[in-house]
Amino acid sequence: MSSIRDRVKQIVPSQVTNRVKDSLVGYGVRTSGRRPLPDFLIIGTKRGGTTSLWNYLIQHPLVPRLFPAWNTKASHYFEQNWHRGEAWYRSHFPTSRQRATLQRRHGGPVRVGEAAPLYMFHPLAAQRVAALMPTVRLIVLLRDPVERAYSHWKERWTHGVEPLDFADALAAEEERTAGERERLIVEPEAFSEPYDWYTYRARGRYLEHLEPWLDRFDREQILFLPSEDLYRDTRGTYRRTVDFLGLPAHDLPAFKVYNDRRSAPLDPRVRAELTEYYRPHNEALRQRLGLDLDRPERTP
């Protein structure tokens, strides 16, 4: 009898929670006309410090969180939820009234955004963002692609969706993801888990994925931040981001590192192969944007 009561206690709160969540989502959509689109997007890169930077920014009194409160940092609208429509997207952001209240309370402009590192990599995200929000500001964190790839694999391994070791996963990447990018273009409402999960090598060809954004947005709208700068000088990188967004200075007492994943060092043979592979891509990025990613770093 007690086990039945325990199960009921577990089920009923879950049902209530789900109803509350559905109600809040519905309210957000119904009030979407009063919810301005975001002012900024952190579009990449995965495993480049986006979660940390996002959490620093929402500690600023003029950078509100997403709505409802359980949303962490992204709606995933421009890659996974495109089929839900603009009203659904707007439902994630504060109302004009909430913005005005914050502005009066803290005496400065409000800046609303989200952080979705797949946006930079998705083949249709740039044109979708440009069509809906041509004046939005973009923040791009770019990490040493060798370390990024290894960290990406560690995340997938930890989450239990990657059964292969890193070397084997790199070897299997092309076969695993074959045709997925093309499918996303042909089927605009599709989402591809292999394209998100297993693109360890491909995501580090940064300039290739940035070109659609560079073609559609003025350079002044984009802030490029080497992830290594965020790791070495977190406070300075945070201040630079706040300034880029036109926010008043607001210092933080501490800078916690989010999603840190320590592990054994990368196999030197795999590191050497990847370093050589990325050399021309890093050089192209340096020539185009003046960014130097060939610098040693610690490995989150």
Side-chain angles (χ1 to χ4, degrees), residues 15-209:
Q15 292 174 340
V16 172
T17 299
N18 289 337
R19 285 200 296 269
V20 171
K21 285 187 174 181
D22 290 344
S23 177
L24 285 172
V25 170
Y27 171 75
V29 173
R30 290 194 303 274
T31 57
S32 62
R34 303 197 297 270
R35 298 177 182 273
L37 291 165
D39 306 289
F40 73 91
L41 302 174
I42 303 176
I43 64 171
T45 184
K46 184 176 183 65
R47 304 304 302 162
T50 58
T51 299
S52 291
L53 184 59
W54 170 255
N55 279 281
Y56 305 149
L57 287 174
I58 60 175
Q59 292 179 62
H60 194 293
L62 289 163
V63 182
R65 295 172 178 268
L66 299 184
F67 177 86
W70 64 78
N71 284 305
T72 52
K73 64 176 183 177
S75 68
H76 299 287
Y77 176 59
F78 294 103
E79 19 89 341
Q80 188 171 356
N81 294 307
W82 181 247
H83 62 284
R84 297 182 184 274
E86 183 181 337
W88 180 88
Y89 183 52
R90 285 178 178 268
S91 75
H92 290 78
F93 305 107
T95 63
S96 297
R97 183 176 180 179
Q98 290 169 320
R99 281 177 173 247
T101 299
L102 282 178
Q103 185 163 332
R104 286 194 305 270
R105 181 180 302 160
H106 299 288
V110 172
R111 296 290 183 259
V112 174
E114 63 168 334
L118 184 54
Y119 285 174
M120 187 181 89
F121 188 56
H122 192 282
L124 300 180
Q127 67 189 60
R128 290 170 172 175
V129 172
L132 186 61
M133 304 183 298
T135 62
V136 73
R137 290 189 166 243
L138 306 170
I139 300 169
V140 185
L141 285 154
L142 296 177
R143 183 180 183 180
D144 172 359
V146 176
E147 299 293 350
R148 194 223 65 81
Y150 187 40
S151 185
H152 185 173
W153 172 83
K154 285 189 290 182
E155 180 191 61
R156 298 293 84 200
W157 176 273
T158 302
H159 288 176
V161 298
E162 178 52 89
L164 304 178
D165 67 27
F166 187 43
D168 289 342
L170 288 171
E173 178 174 334
E174 185 173 352
E175 181 178 356
R176 279 171 150 182
T177 63
E180 290 301 300
R181 185 176 180 87
E182 292 75 15
R183 183 170 73 86
L184 292 174
I185 296 172
V186 174
E187 303 174 24
E189 295 188 354
F191 178 73
S192 169
E193 287 181 344
Y195 189 74
D196 184 15
W197 289 356
Y198 302 131
T199 43
Y200 307 115
R201 186 188 299 266
R203 288 207 195 202
R205 301 192 299 263
Y206 294 134
L207 187 57
E208 173 185 324
H209 309 303

